Amino acid sequence: MALGLCEAVKEKNSAIQIQTTYLDPVSVYTGVLWDYGINKFGICADFSDSYIDIRDSVLGSNVNLPHTATFDVTDLRG
């Protein structure tokens, strides 16, 4: 949702500064595009950050996103 909203806002006014945050983002789209989020999340925003847990059991949600500042919060689990 953050990606789509970012693209819609930038299309209307490219001068608007946008920050997006992804919390444990799942990069799989429609069950077949496994790298969708890896390739797209953060690409629209002027700044983007993401927080991942590399030991969760959700496929596609525990990788660094190249277009965001990615923070591994695995060790903070309680």
Side-chain angles (χ1 to χ4, degrees), residues 61-77:
S61 72
N62 51 7
V63 296
N64 288 334
L65 301 178
H67 305 289
T68 72
T70 302
F71 300 92
D72 181 354
V73 296
T74 305
D75 293 337
L76 301 175
R77 292 173 85 176

Side-chain angles (χ1 to χ4, degrees), residues 3-58:
L3 174 62
L5 184 58
C6 180
E7 290 172 338
V9 169
K10 285 287 191 176
E11 187 176 305
K12 286 198 173 269
N13 185 348
S14 62
I16 292 176
Q17 297 288 303
I18 296 177
Q19 176 183 347
T20 55
T21 298
Y22 296 91
L23 303 175
D24 206 20
V26 176
S27 63
V28 180
Y29 182 67
T30 69
V32 293
L33 301 173
W34 285 89
D35 292 335
Y36 180 84
I38 295 168
N39 295 327
K40 298 283 189 177
F41 292 162
I43 204 164
C44 174
D46 298 289
F47 176 80
S48 188
D49 54 344
S50 61
Y51 301 85
I52 63 171
D53 175 352
I54 62 171
R55 289 188 299 224
D56 70 13
S57 60
V58 179

